[in-house]
Amino acid sequence: MRISRDVKGIHITDRGTETPMTTAANPNSLPATAGWLSRAEAWLDNKGKGAWIALMVLGFIFFWPVGLAILAYMIWSKRMFSKSCGRRREHHMRYAAGAMRRTGNAAFDAYKEETLRRLQDEQEAFESFLERLREAKDKAEFDQFMDERARKAREMADETQQSA
């Protein structure tokens, strides 16, 4: 049995399709002359915004100018505020759209539709409860303010009557 140490990627081919799956990063996404810095940047982009933030924090911990440089690069390249690094939101949107599809099982689809409708009704009821709660709190605070104002006006009137 021969084991090679020069493995750059493991290629697995499904028998039904001839599309290789690999554990290595896609080499076609980077030019052949890509240096270690551009490969590191591509790797961090692939891992998402959290990897960039972790690198920045580590840079600040070990040597603060490095962390500051990484932060400046993240802001300058718009990695800090863009959605391009993390693809999670797109994934969640696709998943949510898939939740509304019919499965073909009529009983399950009816149950799912009823459950989603019930959850929507509960959410609307809870939001209206929160709105009423906010209004009650605002009214109580306003009433307290008006009572304090009236009390202060009475105290001022009593003081002016006593001094006269």
Side-chain angles (χ1 to χ4, degrees), residues 18-31:
E18 290 299 319
T19 306
M21 296 179 287
T22 179
T23 59
N26 186 1
N28 298 331
S29 63
L30 294 174

Side-chain angles (χ1 to χ4, degrees), residues 46-132:
N46 191 29
K47 296 297 179 190
K49 197 178 294 187
W52 281 100
I53 292 171
L55 179 68
M56 178 187 63
V57 168
L58 289 174
F60 275 115
I61 289 172
F62 290 116
F63 188 59
W64 70 266
V66 172
L68 190 63
I70 293 169
L71 176 63
Y73 178 73
M74 287 170 61
I75 292 172
W76 173 75
S77 66
K78 298 189 179 21
R79 278 178 170 68
M80 190 71 154
F81 307 110
S82 70
K83 298 173 188 159
S84 62
C85 283
R87 297 177 189 95
R88 291 185 182 139
R89 180 172 290 157
E90 294 171 13
H91 173 71
H92 289 302
M93 293 301 286
R94 271 188 263 131
Y95 179 75
M100 298 306 291
R101 272 192 305 227
R102 296 261 179 219
T103 62
N105 183 338
F108 178 73
D109 288 341
Y111 167 75
K112 181 172 71 170
E113 187 175 319
E114 173 62 26
T115 302
L116 290 174
R117 186 193 56 75
R118 183 180 49 80
L119 288 173
Q120 182 70 28
D121 292 345
E122 287 179 12
Q123 181 179 2
E124 289 170 2
F126 184 68
E127 287 174 355
S128 67
F129 167 74
L130 287 178
E131 184 63 31
R132 288 191 314 270

